[in-house]
C-alpha cells in the first residue's frame, strides 16, 4: 500500500479529545493490477479522575491485503485504560 494519510487531533476541553484519521492510495499485490483503497477512523477520548481514560472509536477500510478477495471492514471499539504512575 502507498498513499498519503492525515491525522487531526483536537483537545476540545480539559477532559475531551477528538481524533480524525484518513488515508487513501494504491495497493498492489503480486500478479494483480493496482487498486484504490481507503481507510477512515474517528476517535473520541474522555479523561476521568484517578488516571482513567475511555476511548471510543469507529473505523472503516476497504484494503484487501488481508484477503485475496475484496475486503471491507467496519469496526467499533471502546477501551478503558488506566495510567499508573
Amino acid at each position: 500500500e502507498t498513499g498519503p494519510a492525515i491525522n487531526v487531533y483536537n483537545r476540545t476541553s480539559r477532559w475531551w479529545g477528538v481524533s480524525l484519521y484518513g488515508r487513501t492510495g494504491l495497493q498492489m499485490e503480486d500478479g494483480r493490477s493496482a487498486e484504490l483503497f481507503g481507510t477512515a477512523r474517528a476517535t473520541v477520548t474522555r479523561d476521568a479522575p484517578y488516571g482513567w481514560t475511555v476511548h471510543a472509536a469507529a473505523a472503516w477500510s476497504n484494503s484487501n491485503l488481508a484477503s485475496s478477495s475484496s475486503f471491507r471492514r467496519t469496526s467499533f471499539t471502546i477501551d478503558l485504560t488506566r495510567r499508573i504512575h
Side-chain angles (χ1 to χ4, degrees):
E1 292 183 346
T2 184
I6 187 168
N7 187 58
V8 178
Y9 177 79
N10 186 24
R11 186 78 165 175
T12 58
S13 71
R14 180 178 176 201
W15 301 103
W16 292 92
V18 176
S19 175
L20 300 173
Y21 172 86
R23 182 174 180 216
T24 187
L26 292 174
Q27 59 187 11
M28 182 179 269
E29 298 178 43
D30 291 338
R32 298 183 69 177
S33 61
E35 296 179 26
L36 290 173
F37 79 94
T39 300
R41 180 175 58 243
T43 306
V44 176
T45 302
R46 170 66 163 102
D47 291 336
Y50 307 108
W52 290 98
T53 303
V54 177
H55 305 271
W60 174 87
S61 177
N62 71 344
S63 170
N64 68 359
L65 289 181
S67 170
S68 60
S69 62
S70 65
F71 176 79
R72 288 196 169 111
R73 178 181 64 204
T74 302
S75 63
F76 302 95
T77 59
I78 297 176
D79 301 316
L80 177 64
T81 60
R82 183 162 189 243
R83 291 183 308 276
I84 300 174
H85 301 278

